[in-house]
Amino acid sequence: MTNRRDFVKQLALTGIAGGLPITFFSPPSTKPGISSQWLELVSPESLGMDPEILKEIDVLVEQTIAIGHTPGAVVAVGRGNKMGFLKGYGYRQFYPKKEKISLDTLFDLASVTKV
């Protein structure tokens, strides 16, 4: 059995290196009786997640940015309809001016079949 730390590392690397974004949000609903709230951000502990292991995502993403595999990333980790981790790293663009990534950054999915 794989230990949790190795599993989190593999999951993070697969998501980052794979280049395929995973959608954690859905647009607000306009139907009556359905909540217009997006996924709720809660403490990792309340979802049974270890915050110390989640901190390793910072190291992995920052290393990936430092070696030039991506200029930036947004990482969300959740369970059910709640998120225990949501963070943006790096930059969304360098030209014409440098802009830091934000949690609402949209990612281009062109040529996704070639990944």
Side-chain angles (χ1 to χ4, degrees):
M1 180 176 163
T2 306
N3 72 39
R4 288 176 42 198
R5 185 172 306 267
D6 290 340
F7 175 75
V8 169
K9 285 181 181 178
Q10 184 61 42
L11 181 63
L13 288 172
T14 301
I16 294 166
L20 293 174
I22 300 171
T23 303
F24 287 94
F25 299 112
S26 60
S29 174
T30 56
K31 295 180 182 176
I34 297 178
S35 172
S36 64
Q37 298 296 315
W38 289 9
L39 297 177
E40 181 183 2
L41 184 59
V42 298
S43 72
E45 297 90 347
S46 71
L47 298 176
M49 298 177 187
D50 184 344
E52 290 304 311
I53 292 176
L54 290 174
K55 286 180 183 177
E56 292 185 29
I57 294 172
D58 292 337
V59 174
L60 292 170
V61 175
E62 288 165 5
Q63 287 175 348
T64 302
I65 292 169
I67 60 177
H69 285 273
T70 185
V74 174
V75 178
V77 179
R79 181 170 287 143
N81 63 348
K82 297 180 180 183
M83 287 184 301
F85 184 89
L86 178 62
K87 189 171 179 182
Y89 304 84
Y91 295 91
R92 64 158 139 224
Q93 75 176 38
F94 290 116
Y95 304 102
K97 68 176 188 169
K98 208 173 196 181
E99 288 183 21
K100 284 195 157 272
I101 206 158
S102 62
L103 297 179
D104 63 349
T105 298
L106 299 177
F107 294 90
D108 182 7
L109 296 178
S111 300
V112 123
T113 58
K114 297 174 188 159
V115 174

